[in-house]
Each structure stands twice: as C-alpha cells, then as structure tokens.
Amino acid sequence: MSTVANPAIKDRFTPKSFGEGVVRYAVIIALAGVFAFFSFATSTFLTSANLASILVNNFTLLAIIAVAMTFAVSAGGIDLSVGTAVDFASFAFVSLVLSGHSVGLAVIAALASGAIVGLVNALLIAGVGITPFLATLGTLFIGRSAQQLLTNGGNPVYLPQTGIPPLFGFIGHGHILGIPVPLVIVGLLIIAASTLLFSTRFGRVVLAIGVQQSVARYSGLRISGHIGLVYVISGFVAALAGIILTSTVSVYIPNSGNAFMLNAIGATFIGTTLSREGRPNVPGTVLGVLLLSIVANGLLLTGLSFYWQQVGTGLLIFIVLAASFLNRSSRSD
Amino acid sequence: MSSATETGNLALALRQLVKHFNGVQALSGATLEVERGTVHGLIGQNGAGKSTLIKILAGLYQPDEGTIEIDGVTHERLTAHDVEKLGIHFIHQDRLLVPSFTVGEALFLGREPRLAGLPFLDRRAIRRQAEKILDKYFGLKLPANALISELTTAQKQIVQITRALLDKPSILVFDEPTAALVRREADILFDLIRRLRADGITIIYISHYLNEIEALCDRATILRNGKDVSTVDPRTTSAAKIASLMVARDIEEMFPKTAATIGKPALTTNALTKAGKFRNVSLNMREGEIVGLTGLLGSGAKDLVRVLFGLEAADSGEIVIEGENGRPRSPAAAVARRLALVPEDRRGDGVALGLSVAENTTLASLKRFTRFGFLQSNREHSEVDRLIEQLAIKTNGRFAPVRTLSGGNQQKVALAKWLSRQSSLYILDEPTVGVDIGSKVEIYNLIGKLAERGAAILVLSSDLPELVGITDRILVLYRGVVTREFISSETTPDAILAEATGALDLRSGEHRNVV
Ligand SMILES: Nc1ncnc2c1ncn2[C@@H]1O[C@H](COP(=O)(O)OP(=O)(O)OP(=O)(O)O)[C@@H](O)[C@H]1O
Ligand SMILES: [Mg+2]
C-alpha cells in the first residue's frame, strides 16, 4: 500500500531494448528528424547561409540563457528571472556606453548587473528561504516594474549611429578567425559551464543538492552558500546574452529578455532526457537549444505564421518531455 | 524441504519466478507458497531478492518468468490496481508517504469521507476517524493534523500500517516492518499481527530478526541468491540452522569483541539541555570507546543526536569535541570537526537514491579527491571500489544508482560515506537496520576496527541484544534525562529495557509521544 508511485521502479542503466533506446536518445532522434524534414520541405533550409543564420540568430542567445537556467535546475530549483538579468545587463551596457565610458567598463558593469539580479534571488532563496519558483518570479515582477520606471514607461534606449566605439559592435558582429564572436563566446561558455558542473567539486555539490538536499546537508555540505552561488552564476551568465543582444541590435528594449525564459526552461528539460538519471546537463541543454533553434528557423522558412511557430515549438517540447516521462515511469525492462 | 500441503488451502503461490535488472539477477526461480490464515516468514540476506519477490506480487515489477497464483487463480499480468482489488496490501520497505500531507490526509488518501454526499472533504471527520483508528490499533495518539514530514520514522510507519488496515485486507505483506520500531512499538505490532491472523488474514512477514520470525511465524521460506532454499517451521528449527541456511556458512560469533585501547577524551558534554527534549546530559566518551545510547520514542535520545551533529541548537550546556569547546552550529561544522552521523532515516537523509554508489560514498569527503577545485575521478573511484569491497556492498558497479541496491546494501553505502571521510567520532543511529545477519557481523567487526584505530563511537539502537553485545557501556535516557549508565559486559537487555521504560511507569501503560 503506497501513496505515491514507487520510485524504485525506475531502473535504467544502459538502454536495453530498442524502445528504451529511442526514448533515451529522443533529442538526437528528434534533431535528425526535424533536420531531414526541413531539408526536404523547404528549398532554403539546407544552405550554408541558412545554417549559419540558425547558429547566429536562433541559437546563440537562447543557448546562453538556457545554460544559465541549467545551473538553477541542477541545484533543484528554477530561475524565472533569467530574462531580467538579460535586460539589466543590456540596460547597464547601453547606459554606460551612451555616457561615454569604455566598452570594457560597460561589459563589466553589465555582467555585474546580471550577477546582482542573481544575488537578489540568492538572498531570497538561500537567505530568506523562499522557494526558487516564487523568489525568481518575484524578481521577474520587480525587475519588470523597475525597467518601466527607468525608461519612462518602457521606452527603448537607442544608441546613435556614430560616435560609438567600434569594439561595441564587434561583440555582436565581429569575427575571430572567421568565427562570429557570439559563437566564440557561446563555445567558451559551454566548455566552462559543463566543466564546472561536471568535473569540479562545486558541480558535484550542486548535483547532490539538486538530487536530495537533506542528504547533502547531512553530509556536511554547505547548502545555502552553494545554492546562492548558483543563482549568482545564473544571473551572470544570462548577462552575457544581454551584452551580445545589445551589441547586435544597438538598442536596449525594456523587458525583452523574458521572451527567452520559457524556451530556456524547455531546452533544459529536453536536455535532461539525455542523461541516464534524468539530470540537467549542459550538453543536453545545448542539444535542446539546437533542436528548438532548427524548428524555429525551419517553421519560419515554411512561411507559417508566428503563432503557428509558437505552437510548433510548444508541441515539440511537449513530445520530448512526454517521451522522457514515459521512460522514467516505465516499468522495469 | 517441505512444501505447502494441499493446493486448495493456498492463499498464494508464486512459482519459479525469475527477474533480471539490467544484467543483475534478482530472482532465479524463487517459489513462495503461503497457506491461508497463516503468518509466513520470508528471510534471506541483503540482496537475496525478498523485496523483489514482494514487488512482483504487488504488481510493481513484471517477472521475466514464473507464475502467480492467488486464491487458486493464475494471473498472467498483475497491476498494482488488480492486486489492491484482490485484497492484498503492502507495507513496503521504502516507506512512501507524501511529506506535505497531514496524518489524516495520508490515512484517507483516495477514500476521503464526504460531507453528507457532497463532494467536499470533511476535515473534522477525517481527523476524528484517524485518531480513533490510531488509538484502536496502536494505542497511540498522533495528532491527525501533524504533517508527515514532522513524524519520526516509526510514526510514519504506524500511519502506513493503519492505512493498509483500513481496507480490510485478505493478505497483508510486511517488508521489514520492525526495522524502524522501538521494542515497545514492535510488541504492539506483534500483538496486532496475531490478532489479524485470528481474524483469518494471511500475513507475509519479511524480517532480518530471527527471533521475530520464531515468535510470530507458522512457516518461513528462506531465500538465497534469488532462489528459495528451504521452507521450515521456525518454531522447531533453531535460529542457528536458519541462519546457516541463509548465508550458507556458519556464523561463529555474533558479537566479535575487540580490544581497543582507551585514549584521550573524544566527546564531552556538560549539562547539555534542550527545553522539552532533554536536560542536563553529561556524556564523556574517549577515543577507542563504543558507547550505547538508548531510550524509548520521545526519550530525547534522537534529539540529543541532532544537537550533537549541529542539526538543531541546544538551549544551554557545552559540547567539547577533541578538546575543542563549542556546540556545532551546523552539520557542516560538525563534519569539519570529524563527526559522522549515520542517520536513522536512511532513504531520506542517509543516502541519495538518485546518486550513484560512488557519488554517495564520497559526498562527505570530496575535498580528499579535489585538486584546484577539480575532482580527480581516478582517486575517487579507487577509494570507492576499495570500500565496496571492504564492506561487501552488493552492487552492479560503482556507477549504479543507490536506488537499485537492496535495503541493507544502501545502509552500507551510508556507512561507507563516513569511512571515506575518515571521521574520528561516529554517531550511528540504528546502524544495522535492515542489514542481514552476515553483514551485521561485518558491520560489528568494522565498528570494532574503527574503535581499535582510535575512533569514538556512539551507537543508538533499539536492538538491545546488539547494543549490549557491541558496546562498552550504555546510557539510558528516560524522559530527557540520563537515568543510568550500564557496563555492557555486566548487564542484560532486560535490565536495560526496564530502565528505558521507566520500571515504575511500565505498568501504568501510559506512553506519550512528542511529535
Ligand atoms: N530496480 C533495480 N534495479 C537494479 N537492480 C535491482 C533493482 N531492485 C533490486 N535490484 C537488485 O536485485 C537484488 C535483490 O534485491 P532485493 O531488494 O529484492 O533484496 P532484499 O532481499 O530485499 O534485500 P534487503 O534485505 O537488503 O532488503 C539486489 O542485488 C539488488 O541490487
Ligand atoms: Mg528488501
């Protein structure tokens, strides 16, 4: 007689049967599937120009924000205010450049702003003890009002066409060894984040907290400090997206970062299906982002309306998550 | 090698069950036949396949091979729902109750009494009924609006048993029900089981305590390595014989004695007090000493442990650890001072079921395997493998999630974590709960070896023969006060029980719980 489903049933080690393998590698199969589909369905999808555009226009920002999200989810929480960190970073960046400060200083200020948004979450969650969902939702709301106050009700802040240091545009439009700078940044971030979560003591502690907090506590690990740091990192990483976004479009639009939040959550959870134990992981998240990016780009090329694109993305997240849920609750072998 | 008499009288027959989990053979042709209206014991070492067998009966696992016959009807495929409809109910080893529910809600989940046909919950009726049932079956008063998460393990289990009884089952299966109970509650449970048998209910009873099997069971089936090796009448078969059937070897000495040298003071408390829990507790433990601590539920023993490990704050008094004065303010502070706690709630606090054997084992000692912040997996893994071997942990490798280990092997992982930490002061709260006889002796040996190497060990156990067998001296807490100290070699379990129950109070039958 048990009152909840028996967790002991979940036993997946190496995929044993064909069906189990399908579910386990749902993301990769889905990736191949949508790639093939759009290659046939549209004449423009499979061109190098379009594939590059997927990476630069669809992939970069979401990947950064989803990696930020992966930190929070790894610690057993969630960060609904990643978009807020994007916006504050963007605002700080634009403001400092406008007032004549160097791009370097502006970047540092932007990163600090994102980290401060994370610090607010950290204090609410690790200090006050509010659940991550409510704490970051609160930050999201406060951040939204604060931006409206800062911009007279939500007016964009444009940068003039001239007189801006060239380094500013370089972040969004430049190339290093022929690779677009945003992609370089994302690449480095992915390596750094997966190393941090996968190969360090910090990452292991975060994992333990995320899997079973009381065991982490009984093992003498410092819980609040680690949880706090996770949200600061999340804000800091999201700020990178704010910097790239602003540099690309030369404008700060209040509350534009929130548009990424749901997709970032979706990509992170899609990514968990790649892990044996359903753990959040950076490589999985990145594949999730890639999947969402290809779908967004492909649907655009098919000429579907924006709303149908949204429906398509939603459906995809739903299917992959449903597949992983089935896998998790599937009976033994 | 006797089998049940006529088939017509069988409440249940599981025959030739085979079950694999990703290459691990949990059952290899196990048969269990249970006569109607009897109490049938199921025993075997950790990982022998007892829980797997029971989970197949519960419809939680599907067997690879074998047949299931209930009341003479053969079932191809059982689901948890079918089983419930057949009147078979389970108290599983992994106790599963929703922590954020109240006692009343947990008891009535799925069958709430309604307000005169209206689709609303009548919370007052739920509460009243829950209190009545708990009082009737256990003579216990649990506030029905207490949260499950606030209950002790024993209390949680009582809620679960009560919940099963509400459904008037025809077969009731207990998977190590007394593991978490102190003697007093266990006695109540035995009484209850005998009453249930008298009412014609068939009972399957899994336990590592052979004395319980002997006292309670009409027959007992012994499992070894996934197969039934024998079914015996435990009242006429000696415990030694049963034990040797289980482990396929003889156990020479249950409580090995070691000669540790007593060294410097390791842990001293002076007049430690926590209002409403315990008063003026003064302990004095030295290196190499094994000290027992016991007391009934609510005696304050568990609270004392929580304070020592920094999980809760004391109101006054001193804690001196290895000469350093100061009450630990967090588990992190306690662990930094080389304290170790193997907590009572193994699955909640002791091991993380979703982490691997390796990740659990090194969780308290990550610093040892870290260089410049990076984990050194080679060193980590060789330490984990060493401990898996030392403790004979039965696992499908160091990367197997602890969830897939049997109960007793999970407990060994909880211990391994502190061996990896190389702690010097161990607090072991029910260290051998759910551990089979063979492994128990291994754990006793290990405790002895730790003491020889100069560790101080505080053991809490409601298994009094064990406590007397492995400790040097025993402190008894009664209603928050250390009432007496026994020298283990000069006392008996009965003397300790009398002290723990407060000899005079014993007859009044009053048993109060602090929730
Ligand atoms: N879900 C699972 N995945 C993989 N292996 C499993 C799983 N459940 C059980 N096993 C393995 O099957 C074997 C039998 O386990 P089971 O839990 O039935 O033992 P048990 O007799 O109940 O032991 P204990 O007395 O320790 O509770 C063990 O080796 C265990 O590791
Ligand atoms: Mg078991």
Side-chain angles (χ1 to χ4, degrees):
Chain A
M1 213 39 255
S2 55
T3 49
V4 294
N6 189 336
I9 303 163
K10 177 178 160 190
D11 57 58
R12 40 182 181 156
F13 241 93
T14 43
K16 214 172 91 177
S17 63
F18 177 71
E20 201 180 318
V22 168
V23 169
R24 172 82 177 282
Y25 298 112
V27 198
I28 293 169
I29 293 166
L31 256 178
V34 296
F35 196 91
F37 174 77
F38 288 121
S39 301
F40 286 111
T42 71
S43 55
T44 38
F45 179 81
L46 198 59
T47 57
S48 55
N50 184 58
L51 294 182
S53 146
I54 291 178
L55 284 184
V56 175
N57 297 324
N58 300 92
F59 176 77
T60 324
L61 295 177
L62 184 57
I64 294 174
I65 296 165
V67 166
M69 183 67 73
T70 304
F71 276 92
V73 178
S74 293
I78 196 158
D79 187 353
L80 302 180
S81 66
V82 276
T84 314
V86 172
D87 291 332
F88 274 74
S90 177
F91 178 76
F93 193 45
V94 167
S95 305
L96 263 76
V97 171
L98 263 185
S99 57
H101 290 92
S102 74
V103 173
L105 187 68
V107 165
I108 291 170
L111 292 174
S113 309
I116 287 170
V117 172
L119 188 63
V120 172
N121 290 329
L123 293 176
L124 292 175
I125 296 163
V128 186
I130 304 174
T131 60
F133 187 89
L134 291 179
T136 57
L137 189 64
T139 305
L140 169 71
F141 282 138
I142 294 166
R144 187 144 71 188
S145 311
Q147 289 179 63
Q148 273 161 354
L149 289 174
L150 285 170
T151 57
N152 292 321
N155 293 319
V157 181
Y158 294 95
L159 283 174
Q161 300 292 335
T162 53
I164 298 300
L167 195 55
F168 177 87
F170 179 77
I171 299 173
H173 299 290
H175 289 75
I176 295 175
L177 302 173
I179 306 169
V181 174
L183 274 184
V184 174
I185 296 176
V186 173
L188 293 176
L189 173 69
I190 289 170
I191 294 170
S194 45
T195 309
L196 186 57
L197 284 176
F198 222 76
S199 314
T200 67
R201 183 172 115 87
F202 172 80
R204 180 68 66 78
V205 175
V206 168
L207 171 73
I209 292 173
V211 171
Q212 207 165 326
Q213 186 169 329
S214 78
V215 173
R217 179 162 177 254
Y218 273 74
S219 300
L221 302 174
R222 288 172 207 282
I223 308 298
S224 319
H226 282 94
I227 292 184
L229 196 50
V230 159
Y231 286 90
V232 173
I233 292 175
S234 172
F236 180 87
V237 169
L240 283 174
I243 294 169
I244 294 176
L245 174 67
T246 313
S247 163
T248 313
V249 297
S250 294
V251 58
Y252 154 70
I253 303 169
N255 293 314
S256 53
N258 290 334
F260 295 99
M261 185 253 286
L262 283 178
N263 279 354
I265 294 174
T268 304
F269 281 95
I270 287 176
T272 61
T273 60
L274 201 71
S275 143
R276 216 190 272 146
E277 282 292 296
R279 294 176 183 171
N281 63 98
V282 174
T285 299
V286 172
L287 285 182
V289 172
L290 205 56
L291 183 63
L292 294 181
S293 305
I294 289 176
V295 170
N297 172 275
L299 288 176
L300 189 73
L301 295 181
T302 57
L304 276 177
S305 79
F306 173 76
Y307 300 102
W308 281 110
Q309 292 175 39
Q310 299 286 85
V311 172
T313 317
L315 214 61
L316 185 82
I317 295 182
F318 177 79
I319 291 170
V320 179
L321 291 183
S324 91
F325 180 78
L326 285 178
N327 183 31
R328 248 178 262 188
S329 56
S330 73
R331 296 275 149 92
S332 56
D333 49 26
Chain B
M1 201 102 340
S2 58
S3 69
T5 44
E6 325 137 49
T7 359
N9 206 20
L10 290 181
L12 174 80
L14 305 172
R15 294 203 181 91
Q16 295 301 323
L17 292 182
V18 174
K19 177 69 185 170
H20 293 265
F21 293 103
N22 299 300
V24 177
Q25 184 138 28
L27 292 177
S28 52
T31 295
L32 174 68
E33 296 181 333
V34 180
E35 277 176 71
R36 209 183 308 279
T38 61
V39 180
H40 197 109
L42 186 59
I43 47 189
Q45 278 185 286
N46 295 132
K50 305 178 295 294
S51 297
T52 304
L53 193 77
I54 288 315
K55 283 179 180 165
I56 287 176
L57 176 61
L60 294 171
Y61 294 145
Q62 300 304 326
D64 301 339
E65 285 169 39
T67 60
I68 303 169
E69 195 183 296
I70 297 164
D71 270 331
V73 183
T74 305
H75 295 264
E76 279 302 311
R77 208 191 143 84
L78 276 179
T79 68
H81 186 67
D82 302 336
V83 173
E84 192 160 323
K85 276 203 301 200
L86 289 166
I88 309 181
H89 286 269
F90 297 84
I91 313 299
H92 282 295
Q93 190 175 15
D94 1 38
R95 288 165 213 97
L96 304 161
L97 289 167
V98 183
S100 58
F101 276 20
T102 65
V103 169
E105 286 164 341
L107 281 174
F108 290 92
L109 185 71
R111 55 171 122 80
E112 293 84 351
R114 308 220 181 275
L115 261 180
L118 292 173
F120 303 116
L121 283 181
D122 182 349
R123 289 186 177 272
R124 275 198 21 241
I126 291 183
R127 193 171 312 155
R128 262 200 323 271
Q129 239 170 308
E131 276 165 6
K132 213 169 73 195
I133 289 160
L134 276 164
D135 190 43
K136 178 183 161 204
Y137 287 126
F138 287 97
L140 271 185
K141 299 237 179 299
L142 281 183
N145 51 1
L147 288 179
I148 294 294
S149 57
E150 296 168 349
L151 302 187
T152 64
T153 318
Q155 291 168 329
K156 278 182 209 165
Q157 194 192 5
I158 288 168
V159 171
Q160 252 211 345
I161 296 173
T162 308
R163 200 183 130 68
L165 291 179
L166 282 167
D167 276 347
K168 304 194 175 56
S170 66
I171 301 180
L172 202 52
V173 182
F174 292 88
D175 194 351
E176 297 189 38
T178 55
L181 300 184
V182 296
R183 171 102 172 239
R184 179 83 172 234
E185 275 97 9
D187 286 342
I188 295 172
L189 177 72
F190 299 156
D191 228 46
L192 179 80
I193 287 179
R194 291 193 190 102
R195 280 198 318 227
L196 292 171
R197 175 177 55 189
D199 290 346
I201 298 179
T202 307
I203 288 156
I204 299 177
Y205 190 88
I206 301 181
S207 176
H208 287 293
Y209 297 100
L210 296 184
N211 57 340
E212 291 178 1
I213 299 284
E214 186 188 327
L216 216 52
C217 297
D218 304 303
R219 309 198 70 76
T221 296
I222 298 146
L223 280 188
R224 187 166 75 219
N225 292 333
K227 258 184 91 61
D228 55 307
V229 289
S230 186
T231 296
V232 300
D233 180 343
R235 283 162 305 199
T236 56
T237 317
S238 74
K241 169 82 178 134
I242 293 178
S244 69
L245 282 169
M246 274 169 62
V247 299
R249 67 179 157 86
D250 292 330
I251 291 172
E252 290 125 31
E253 202 180 9
M254 192 65 199
F255 303 115
K257 265 278 161 259
T258 48
T261 43
I262 306 299
K264 296 197 297 283
L267 170 75
T268 310
T269 69
N270 291 322
L272 201 60
T273 299
K274 183 172 173 67
K277 306 287 189 190
F278 54 82
R279 290 193 304 283
N280 276 326
V281 173
S282 296
L283 288 177
N284 197 334
M285 288 175 64
R286 290 175 169 272
E287 291 172 352
E289 249 192 329
I290 306 173
V291 177
L293 183 65
T294 192
L296 295 183
L297 212 57
S299 65
K302 304 281 177 194
D303 305 285
L304 179 60
V305 165
R306 293 180 65 78
V307 165
L308 289 176
F309 199 63
L311 287 157
E312 275 171 27
D315 295 322
S316 62
E318 287 184 330
I319 298 178
V320 185
I321 300 167
E322 293 185 325
E324 191 189 326
N325 195 342
R327 305 199 293 255
R329 292 175 54 192
S330 66
V335 172
R337 291 162 78 179
R338 296 178 65 205
L339 230 69
L341 171 67
V342 175
E344 179 190 11
D345 184 359
R346 173 197 309 157
R347 288 177 186 81
D349 309 321
V351 289
L353 298 177
L355 293 182
S356 69
V357 172
E359 286 160 342
N360 270 289
T361 303
T362 57
L363 201 54
S365 53
L366 287 172
K367 280 207 179 96
R368 270 183 74 194
F369 311 103
T370 306
R371 249 175 119 184
F372 309 118
F374 286 89
L375 289 173
Q376 301 200 292
S377 36
N378 286 348
R379 291 202 3 240
E380 183 185 3
H381 294 160
S382 58
E383 171 72 351
V384 170
D385 289 347
R386 189 182 69 79
L387 287 165
I388 287 176
E389 205 184 299
Q390 185 188 343
L391 299 184
I393 299 172
K394 192 176 172 200
T395 166
N396 196 6
R398 64 170 102 92
F399 296 120
V402 163
R403 177 189 309 112
T404 65
L405 269 57
S406 76
N409 283 297
Q410 291 177 358
Q411 181 70 350
K412 292 185 191 174
V413 173
L415 254 169
K417 176 165 74 180
W418 298 113
L419 298 183
S420 173
R421 175 67 184 82
Q422 301 169 333
S423 303
S424 59
L425 183 53
Y426 291 79
I427 303 172
L428 311 178
D429 193 353
E430 305 288 351
T432 61
V433 158
V435 174
D436 68 61
I437 297 196
S439 307
K440 264 184 193 167
V441 178
E442 285 164 29
I443 289 180
Y444 299 151
N445 269 320
L446 190 78
I447 292 174
K449 251 184 253 160
L450 287 172
E452 269 174 26
R453 271 187 248 145
I457 297 148
L458 184 65
V459 184
L460 276 79
S461 178
S462 38
D463 181 346
L464 296 178
E466 162 181 299
L467 206 60
V468 171
I470 64 171
T471 57
D472 298 317
R473 52 197 172 91
I474 297 169
L475 303 175
V476 178
L477 267 171
Y478 179 71
R479 299 203 167 164
V481 182
V482 176
T483 51
R484 215 169 135 186
E485 181 175 329
F486 291 91
I487 304 294
S488 306
S489 55
E490 297 164 9
T491 188
T492 62
D494 287 337
I496 290 173
L497 184 68
E499 189 67 34
T501 49
L504 286 176
D505 281 45
L506 194 58
R507 275 183 307 137
S508 77
E510 182 198 357
H511 181 50
R512 288 190 36 76
N513 294 298
V514 186
V515 173

